[in-house]
Amino acid sequence: MMRDRFRTMASTVFLSLILILLVNLPDHPDAVSAGSFARLPLEWPAAFLLLLIGPAVTRRLAVWLIVLLAVLILCLKLADLGTQAAFQRPFNPALDQQMIGDGWNVASGALGLPLALAALLAALIVLALAIVLLVAAGRSLAAAPPRHRARLAMLFLALALFAGLVRGFGLPLVEVRMPSYLAGRLALMVESSRDMRRFEAELARGIGPKTGRELFSAIRDKDVILIFVESYGRSALTDPRYRDRMARRLGAVDEEIRRAGLSAASAWATSPTVGGLSWLAHGTLLSGLWIDSQARYDRLVRSTQPSLNRLFAEAGWQSAAIMPAITLDWPESAYFGYRQVLAAKDLGYRGKPFNWVTMPDQYTLSAFERLSRAPAHAAGRRVMAELALISSHAPWTPVPSLVDWARIGDGTIFDNQAVQGPAPAVLWADPERVRAQYIATIDYSLETLGSYLARFGKDAVFVILGDHQPASIITGPGASRAVPIHIVSQDPALIASFEAEGFTAGLQPAADGREWRMDVLRQLLIDRLSAGP
């Protein structure tokens, strides 16, 4: 008898703690606080009444129903916390399955495979143990002696009535969260299906010109080099924590390129993503369609919507992709119409990686000049190239530094830099240090670009922009999705034509300047590079 009473009490306490914590767990990291758990969820007494009342078969079924819902809600809320922290949006089960693999690739690259595997194994063990304990506690209550169940049922019925009365008076101590939470998630999935139907209609209509044969006459004798800078967002230029350093850097780069005979104009662009998923930004700018989900991207790369790269290729340029972050097969590249693809293994880097970052930006730019631009010029062709600079990708350690361009060679000159600085696990224990490292990598990327433009920037038009804002640990909550975009050329008339469209002279966009959606920018680039001033 004492053993039955103890088992019933232990099961009641354990299940109560789990249910209260689980139901009250916020789905956004900014909402996590001690106060967020100071609520009485009506789901708590309701779950116990299911376990305690009715015939044995329904009580046993209730055990599995409660455990299934608990695991589902836990997984959804943990996924929400991750996607909100990284991408500032809730997890969408209909669209975000691929992020599990992408998250693993980033974690294993940043933390190292052994530590990432250990963390994953520990998480799975904890989850399995929690499920076993939940099932055991639920079965214990469902099979408790009738007198124990009757007393507990009366207790939880009284709690439910009390909670309902408190809620009826509008007091914030009692809440019913799970029905609306799960209904909201279902509505999100339904809306995703509707969104894909709208996207199919956009693809059927098509956006922009269908051929590049008559385009880009204003720059017929120039290379066009499109450079995405990882995590280079508006916050880097406007957040009080970073703006002074960035203003100095942009001023120095502006002066450096002016001495080399180049001019610049800048504006803001709205990215379809934040915190990651860079390929959505690439796809948006290059297709002229708003690609804000993996489902849209997957459908885009199966479509006939001509990419900007393909339009240049049809107009006579040698189209190329320089992608140091691509380490696996990349079948999606066929959509973009590149004549040359240089992934990480093709760039000839023999130096040590910078954690997840396969090679520093300076090496990427040097390899592009050596392996793509110089051979095309030798064959009498101009290049339209898309480059991804990734030194400013998380985990932001170590921070590279510039070396003599003539000494870059196979990249082994960077080996000493690649082993400097804190390990990612050490760095990420201190958010302030993470932010300092982030802005240091952006500073490095801009310094590298300034040196590169001054050295190699003649006879080319450069379109340089961020792919997205970094995660909220860098920007703080509620940051915009804007990124800087810079047009750089030795042709002042071409730069003036962008200024006439609302761009600001120089490399510092005006704080109140126009913000272009990234999909709209594609047509602006086509117009300005085709018609001239």
Side-chain angles (χ1 to χ4, degrees):
M1 181 180 298
M2 288 297 296
R3 182 179 298 177
D4 289 340
R5 182 178 299 174
F6 176 78
R7 185 183 296 118
T8 301
M9 290 179 59
S11 298
T12 301
V13 171
F14 175 74
L15 271 177
S16 295
L17 287 174
I18 292 295
L19 291 174
I20 291 173
L21 290 174
L22 182 61
V23 174
N24 284 329
L25 178 67
D27 55 5
H28 195 291
D30 294 336
V32 176
S33 67
S36 61
F37 296 95
R39 298 288 187 274
L40 174 62
L42 272 171
E43 292 88 348
W44 171 40
F48 272 88
L49 290 174
L50 285 174
L51 291 172
L52 298 168
I53 297 176
V57 63
T58 60
R59 298 199 307 273
R60 288 194 295 268
L61 287 175
V63 172
W64 293 106
L65 175 62
I66 290 170
V67 171
L68 177 63
L69 286 174
V71 173
L72 174 63
I73 292 166
L74 175 63
C75 291
L76 285 175
K77 287 198 171 184
L78 290 178
D80 281 339
L81 289 170
T83 54
Q84 289 284 10
F87 309 121
Q88 299 178 26
R89 62 173 178 80
F91 177 75
N92 188 333
L95 303 178
D96 292 338
Q97 301 92 334
Q98 180 174 329
M99 287 202 306
I100 298 173
D102 295 330
W104 170 254
N105 290 335
V106 173
S108 59
L111 301 178
L113 185 59
L115 185 57
L117 282 172
L120 176 62
L121 181 61
L124 291 176
I125 291 173
V126 169
L127 179 61
L129 181 62
I131 292 173
V132 169
L133 291 175
L134 277 173
V135 172
R139 283 179 169 177
S140 176
L141 285 174
R147 61 182 179 278
H148 294 336
R149 287 191 289 106
R151 291 170 184 167
L152 281 175
M154 292 297 295
L155 172 63
F156 281 101
L157 181 60
L159 276 173
L161 293 174
F162 172 74
L165 183 64
V166 171
R167 181 172 171 80
F169 282 104
L171 298 177
L173 298 175
V174 176
E175 292 186 2
V176 181
R177 292 182 174 181
M178 286 305 99
S180 60
Y181 177 75
L182 293 175
R185 197 49 45 94
L186 181 60
L188 184 62
M189 296 171 68
V190 171
E191 175 56 28
S192 299
S193 177
R194 292 173 179 163
D195 178 71
M196 287 308 299
R197 289 196 292 272
R198 291 192 293 267
F199 188 58
E200 290 286 355
E202 292 176 28
L203 285 172
R205 290 195 305 270
I207 301 293
K210 304 300 182 185
T211 177
R213 292 185 180 87
E214 305 302 325
L215 298 177
F216 313 120
S217 56
I219 53 164
R220 184 65 61 182
D221 59 341
K222 294 180 174 61
D223 293 331
V224 178
I225 302 172
L226 170 62
I227 301 175
F228 284 96
V229 181
E230 173 66 37
S231 298
Y232 178 38
R234 179 169 185 145
S235 293
L237 306 190
T238 61
D239 190 300
R241 293 171 291 189
Y242 317 126
R243 65 188 178 197
D244 290 344
R245 180 172 183 172
M246 288 297 97
R248 291 192 298 271
R249 175 57 62 198
L250 288 175
V253 173
D254 211 352
E255 178 61 27
E256 187 174 18
I257 65 173
R258 285 182 184 278
R259 289 197 302 267
L262 305 177
S263 303
S266 302
W268 303 109
T270 310
S271 175
T273 183
V274 63
L277 309 180
S278 304
W279 53 91
L280 303 185
H282 293 219
T284 294
L285 179 67
L286 296 169
S287 71
L289 296 166
W290 191 247
I291 311 299
D292 61 349
S293 71
Q294 187 63 41
R296 281 188 167 226
Y297 184 84
D298 291 341
R299 180 62 185 89
L300 171 69
V301 298
R302 300 195 307 270
S303 74
T304 58
Q305 169 68 10
S307 71
L308 187 62
N309 324 72
R310 192 177 295 277
L311 293 177
F312 269 99
E314 291 175 354
W317 273 259
Q318 171 75 23
S319 59
I322 316 302
M323 297 291 167
I326 299 293
T327 57
L328 303 174
D329 290 339
W330 189 28
E332 297 88 350
S333 64
Y335 161 76
F336 294 98
Y338 308 117
R339 303 291 171 83
Q340 180 188 39
V341 176
L342 297 177
K345 64 181 177 59
D346 306 309
L347 291 169
Y349 184 68
R350 300 292 178 264
K352 295 178 180 179
F354 285 59
N355 283 310
W356 183 91
V357 176
T358 56
M359 63 195 72
D361 291 345
Q362 189 180 12
Y363 182 87
T364 300
L365 293 166
S366 174
F368 163 60
E369 289 293 321
R370 184 179 74 255
L371 300 176
S372 183
R373 201 175 178 196
H377 290 178
R381 303 193 67 181
R382 287 295 177 181
V383 171
M384 187 278 170
E386 176 191 354
L387 289 82
L389 299 186
I390 60 172
S391 286
S392 49
H393 194 290
W396 301 306
T397 181
V399 180
S401 58
L402 275 175
V403 300
D404 185 342
W405 289 91
R407 298 179 58 209
I408 290 176
D410 64 0
T412 53
I413 191 173
F414 296 104
D415 281 355
N416 288 336
Q417 297 182 25
V419 296
Q420 300 298 313
V426 174
L427 174 65
W428 283 76
D430 183 351
E432 285 299 326
R433 199 174 180 189
V434 171
R435 288 187 273 271
Q437 292 282 109
Y438 159 76
I439 203 62
T441 62
I442 293 292
D443 190 59
Y444 160 77
S445 292
L446 293 177
E447 181 186 17
T448 300
L449 279 170
S451 180
Y452 170 74
L453 292 169
R455 187 180 182 93
F456 301 103
K458 297 293 179 63
D459 300 322
V461 177
F462 294 89
V463 180
I464 302 167
L465 74 164
D467 50 7
H468 53 70
Q469 284 264 54
S472 58
I473 189 175
I474 304 298
T475 64
S480 79
R481 293 198 169 202
V483 298
I485 176 171
H486 313 292
I487 310 297
V488 180
S489 172
Q490 66 182 132
D491 182 353
L494 179 64
I495 296 301
S497 73
F498 280 93
E499 292 176 18
E501 296 285 354
F503 280 56
T504 304
L507 290 173
Q508 180 71 57
D512 58 351
R514 178 174 177 178
E515 185 174 315
W516 300 76
R517 272 186 30 145
M518 208 173 272
D519 54 341
V520 176
L521 273 174
R522 175 183 186 264
Q523 190 59 49
L524 174 68
L525 292 171
I526 291 173
D527 291 343
R528 291 297 91 227
L529 301 181
S530 297

